[in-house]
Amino acid sequence: MALGTLLLKNAVTTDGIITSCPIGSQLSIPPESGAKIIQSSLKKIEEISCFRFPQRTKETDFLDIDKRDGCYSYVGRVGGRQLLSLSEGCVYSFIIIHEVMHVLGLEHEHQRPDRDQFIKILYKNVEEDKMANFGLISANDVDYKEHPYDYLSIMHYDGTAFGKTDRRTGEKLVTMVPLKAGVELHDNYELTKLDIEKLNSLGKCKGHASERTQGTLCNDVASNCADFVEKNLCKNAIYKELMMERCALACGFCSTEGTAAVNPVKAGCHDTIAECPTFAKNGFCDNKFYDHKLCAQSCGLCKA
């Protein structure tokens, strides 16, 4: 049976379990904060799949998350101590999930064998030592035909990824151009329906994909999303994840064609977004336009 889009063949065990995920002690932000964000990100994957991340005991094959010189991971299970590097600037939920998806066997969406039908790579704008990040993966190494191309996949780079710097403006040059009208390539902050389906197909998880994605719609929760778009909050690094939750359609983070982002708000008094402490420091809790319950703990709404 064919696996989902860009799943490395025979990447993980069929029971969908990674044997261990110890937290590295050299994270670039306070260890307790880094550990919480990492654990929260791993929990998101557990909630939508059959993959589990127990603490290592005596297993010889295990995942070691540590601070090195970038955000990277091997694709699929390699055996023994397997490094996942999260250096300074990498300890954010969407980056962690992206790298863990590599560990579980998923490749980049923009490198799938048929990608030239959906995007154009502007090689002249790519940093010379980063060309490998845009190479095509052989059709013999991945199964990709079962699912359509997903511009919103958490495994897809944004349109200026690894772009050279424009000497006149100081901004990064565009490296990828979508061939579908109306599509823009931004950082993708959440798993899409297709991401979840592919992950569960890889792990041979029964029931998870359909149960978690059924009925998920691409819409706007806030009533004033147009104002936020006009103020460029969709592209603001501080508010972008919040905009994904409140104004996904208006900001273009999802479409009505079945690739809506999945970011369920759970019951209880706690933060539902990993970056809530940062949002709180930047005035989120004092702004009446936002739903403060999304960051209940950071906004001081939880009763003792």
Side-chain angles (χ1 to χ4, degrees), residues 189 219-222 224-229 232-236 238-254 263 273 279 284 289-290 294:
Y189 280 70
N219 55 23
D220 295 329
V221 178
N224 53 342
C225 289
D227 294 335
F228 296 152
V229 172
N232 290 322
L233 292 187
C234 301
K235 299 180 181 180
N236 188 306
I238 295 175
Y239 298 105
K240 198 168 183 180
E241 191 161 345
L242 176 64
M243 292 299 99
M244 167 67 80
E245 174 68 29
R246 308 296 292 169
C247 300
L249 181 59
C251 288
F253 292 131
C254 65
N263 186 22
I273 303 172
F279 291 164
F284 169 87
F289 294 110
Y290 301 137
L294 293 173

Side-chain angles (χ1 to χ4, degrees), residues 11-296:
V12 295
T13 55
T14 56
D15 57 6
I17 295 178
I18 291 295
T19 55
S20 176
C21 188
I23 303 300
S25 60
Q26 302 296 320
L27 292 172
S28 58
I29 58 178
E32 63 275 10
S33 299
K36 287 181 180 179
I37 295 174
I38 291 171
Q39 292 292 356
S40 174
S41 301
L42 295 176
K43 188 174 182 180
K44 284 185 179 181
I45 295 176
E46 290 186 337
E47 289 175 347
I48 52 86
S49 74
C50 62
F51 289 93
R52 298 294 179 264
F53 302 89
Q55 187 67 33
R56 181 195 180 199
T57 53
K58 297 181 180 180
E59 295 84 357
T60 56
D61 293 350
F62 63 96
L63 182 63
D64 187 7
I65 301 177
D66 201 355
K67 175 185 176 182
R68 293 299 174 92
D69 56 350
C71 319
Y72 60 84
S73 168
Y74 292 102
V75 178
R77 188 172 186 168
V78 298
R81 174 181 175 272
Q82 184 164 336
L83 175 67
L84 190 163
S85 174
L86 296 174
S87 67
E88 185 174 355
C90 298
V91 189
Y92 293 93
S93 182
F94 74 102
I95 295 177
I96 296 168
I97 291 176
H98 177 104
E99 297 304 335
V100 173
M101 294 284 272
H102 278 320
V103 173
L104 299 179
L106 276 78
E107 284 280 8
H108 290 135
E109 187 76 359
H110 61 273
Q111 290 185 274
R112 55 186 279 173
D114 61 347
R115 67 98 187 275
D116 289 334
Q117 300 176 34
F118 305 96
I119 59 173
K120 180 179 180 180
I121 307 297
L122 304 181
Y123 290 102
K124 65 179 181 179
N125 293 343
V126 178
E127 295 178 4
E128 294 181 1
D129 61 340
K130 302 298 183 182
M131 289 291 183
N133 292 283
F134 299 90
L136 280 176
I137 298 172
S138 171
N140 294 325
D141 294 329
V142 293
D143 290 318
Y144 65 97
K145 296 181 180 179
E146 186 174 315
H147 292 101
Y149 194 88
D150 189 2
Y151 289 104
L152 300 177
S153 171
I154 203 166
M155 304 307 293
H156 202 302
Y157 281 175
D158 71 274
T160 61
F162 296 116
K164 296 177 181 177
T165 301
D166 189 321
R167 295 180 180 179
R168 296 172 299 174
T169 65
E171 298 181 352
K172 294 174 67 176
L173 295 173
V174 172
T175 54
M176 290 186 291
V177 178
L179 299 181
K180 183 177 180 180
V183 173
E184 295 183 5
L185 298 178
H186 300 297
D187 281 323
N188 295 328
Y189 280 70
E190 296 291 340
L191 292 159
T192 65
K193 286 184 178 181
L194 289 174
D195 285 330
I196 295 172
E197 290 174 5
K198 288 179 281 188
L199 182 61
N200 281 286
S201 179
L202 173 62
K204 298 182 180 179
C205 307
K206 296 182 179 180
H208 288 77
S210 59
E211 291 172 4
R212 294 290 180 176
T213 61
Q214 187 175 11
T216 301
L217 300 176
C218 178
N219 55 23
D220 295 329
V221 178
S223 60
N224 53 342
C225 289
D227 294 335
F228 296 152
V229 172
E230 186 175 351
K231 294 177 181 178
N232 290 322
L233 292 187
C234 301
K235 299 180 181 180
N236 188 306
I238 295 175
Y239 298 105
K240 198 168 183 180
E241 191 161 345
L242 176 64
M243 292 299 99
M244 167 67 80
E245 174 68 29
R246 308 296 292 169
C247 300
L249 181 59
C251 288
F253 292 131
C254 65
S255 72
T256 56
E257 298 179 359
T259 55
V262 176
N263 186 22
V265 178
K266 306 171 191 176
C269 189
H270 60 276
D271 291 339
T272 63
I273 303 172
E275 284 73 28
C276 278
T278 301
F279 291 164
K281 291 179 181 179
N282 287 278
F284 169 87
C285 302
D286 299 321
N287 193 318
K288 65 180 181 180
F289 294 110
Y290 301 137
D291 184 355
H292 302 152
K293 293 180 181 178
L294 293 173
C295 295

